[in-house]
Amino acid sequence: MDKGKILVTGGAGYIGSHVVRQLGDAGENIITLDNLSTGFEAAVTSGELIIGDTGDAALLDRIFAEHDIDTVMHFAAHTVVPESVSDPLKYYGNNTASSRTLLERSHAHGVKHVVFSSTAAVYGIPPENKASEDTPTKPINPYGSSKLMTEWMLRDLAFAGGPSYVALRYFNVAGCDPSGTIGQSTPKATLLVKVACEAAVGIRPGVKIFGTDYPTPDGTGLRDYIHVVDLARAHLDALAYLRSGNKSVTLNCGYGHGYSVREVLAAVEKANGQPLNISEEPRRAGDPPELVAVAKKIQSVLGWIPQHDDLDTIVRTSLDWERKIANQDPSAYWTA
């Protein structure tokens, strides 16, 4: 098995930093490329950090020329759905055009493999509220569209003799490394678990429920939440899969079951020992009642076995990190 270095774009961000940590623990040689627009230098716990943009072709050429890079793991992206609607060209510029540059320079320098951070947003609102890899892709916002375009580029480049790839379609990522050394510090985060934990520690005044009349058991939206440590592990499994000579594949990353908004908030209240300040708002346009992964394929193809499929664990690790931020613990990091 040929093992070169790994270039991790966006490795100073939330998910990328958890993958970098696991790669380092596995003895891999890592180069992280991140412009630190939403990432943190302190989050990069292994390897070398190069500060720069993924779409900088000259910088990429220097990195590839100076390092024997076997695999690219591509996380660098804008990820806020409402912002993608109000500023679509920002998302197509970074998520699609910069990805094209990265793939072009990777192929030119003989990179063998790509592991791509994709999203369940490529499905839009799937029928019956569940999505398998065979569910038609119908994104309903520029974020999902910009990610799907990169999937298409990967597919077409691989067919033309380019790198083999694994595209991982994430569902709702949450939680933090149980060690407490890295966590979710993305500025202006919109993910429910983080927002609720910020409210629990007083960083936010409260938390809103958008829609209480959905056809779900308690009337609130239901989502598939995956612990970031399990998601990071899937990337290492994808790396091993590609290095073993297997064919390119696209896989869902989720647990195959969901929790409602009320269940998540109740878990945060239980972990914190205090009630949250909760307000109820009307439904938001485009929110499906339920979105859950059909996630059997990733387990059969990669041999991926989740270790943290537990809402209380997801919430506890998130809350521990938010307490560090609230207390300005020097071992944490956050936006000033």
Side-chain angles (χ1 to χ4, degrees):
M1 186 183 296
D2 183 24
K3 288 180 66 173
K5 293 183 181 180
I6 300 170
L7 175 64
V8 182
T9 71
Y14 171 41
I15 299 169
S17 65
H18 283 78
V19 174
V20 166
R21 180 183 179 85
Q22 290 191 20
L23 289 170
D25 289 346
E28 296 286 351
N29 200 334
I30 311 150
I31 306 292
T32 290
L33 174 61
D34 199 299
N35 65 10
L36 302 184
S37 60
T38 56
F40 298 85
E41 186 172 356
V44 182
T45 56
S46 293
E48 177 184 352
L49 170 63
I50 297 173
I51 300 173
D53 291 324
T54 304
D56 185 340
L59 175 59
L60 290 170
D61 282 338
R62 284 204 305 275
I63 293 171
F64 288 125
E66 293 172 5
H67 302 278
D68 177 26
I69 292 174
D70 164 86
T71 299
V72 170
M73 291 192 173
H74 182 30
F75 299 91
H78 298 314
T79 61
V80 180
V81 170
E83 183 187 48
S84 80
V85 176
S86 63
D87 193 359
L89 294 184
K90 177 180 179 179
Y91 279 66
Y92 290 120
N94 189 45
N95 295 5
T96 307
S98 291
S99 292
R100 181 212 170 273
T101 300
L102 175 66
L103 293 178
E104 177 189 56
R105 304 326 303 155
S106 297
H107 183 38
H109 289 272
V111 169
K112 297 184 177 77
H113 315 300
V114 176
V115 181
F116 175 54
S117 165
S118 193
T119 171
V122 301
Y123 296 118
I125 302 177
E128 300 179 4
N129 302 315
K130 292 184 181 293
S132 74
E133 292 84 355
D134 296 326
T135 297
T137 50
K138 296 181 179 180
I140 59 172
N141 52 63
Y143 168 60
S145 297
S146 67
K147 286 285 195 172
L148 183 58
M149 288 178 181
T150 300
E151 287 193 19
W152 291 343
M153 288 190 288
L154 281 165
R155 178 199 63 195
D156 294 343
L157 182 58
F159 183 78
S164 59
Y165 69 89
V166 174
L168 298 174
R169 291 174 176 168
Y170 308 166
F171 281 67
N172 289 61
V173 188
C176 297
D177 191 285
S179 70
T181 55
I182 55 175
Q184 160 64 304
S185 291
T186 308
K188 299 179 182 179
T190 58
L191 301 177
L192 175 64
V193 174
K194 179 170 176 62
V195 168
C197 288
E198 286 180 337
V201 300
I203 294 174
R204 292 178 187 249
V207 60
K208 296 178 181 179
I209 299 176
F210 293 98
T212 58
D213 58 348
Y214 285 112
T216 58
D218 65 15
T220 63
L222 192 145
R223 300 289 183 269
D224 192 330
Y225 294 91
I226 178 173
H227 197 291
V228 67
V229 170
D230 281 337
L231 178 61
R233 181 70 237 178
H235 291 75
L236 273 71
D237 292 341
L239 175 65
Y241 170 89
L242 290 171
R243 284 181 171 170
S244 295
N246 292 297
K247 65 181 182 180
S248 299
V249 66
T250 298
L251 301 168
N252 283 345
C253 281
Y255 290 147
H257 61 85
Y259 298 102
S260 73
V261 174
R262 290 199 193 280
E263 286 177 312
V264 170
L265 299 183
V268 173
E269 290 178 327
K270 174 185 172 185
N272 197 44
Q274 296 182 37
L276 291 167
N277 178 23
I278 300 171
S279 59
E280 297 180 358
E281 303 287 338
R283 297 184 188 187
R284 292 179 298 194
D287 278 354
E290 179 179 344
L291 184 57
V292 173
V294 177
K296 295 179 181 178
K297 188 174 180 181
I298 188 172
Q299 297 185 36
S300 63
V301 171
L302 299 186
W304 176 70
I305 302 173
Q307 301 295 319
H308 302 280
D309 182 2
D310 175 72
L311 180 59
D312 289 334
T313 299
I314 290 171
V315 165
R316 176 180 50 78
T317 57
S318 295
L319 189 59
D320 287 347
W321 182 255
E322 295 304 330
R323 284 173 175 153
K324 279 191 164 191
I325 294 174
N327 295 330
Q328 298 190 351
D329 188 320
S331 67
Y333 46 86
W334 59 89
T335 302

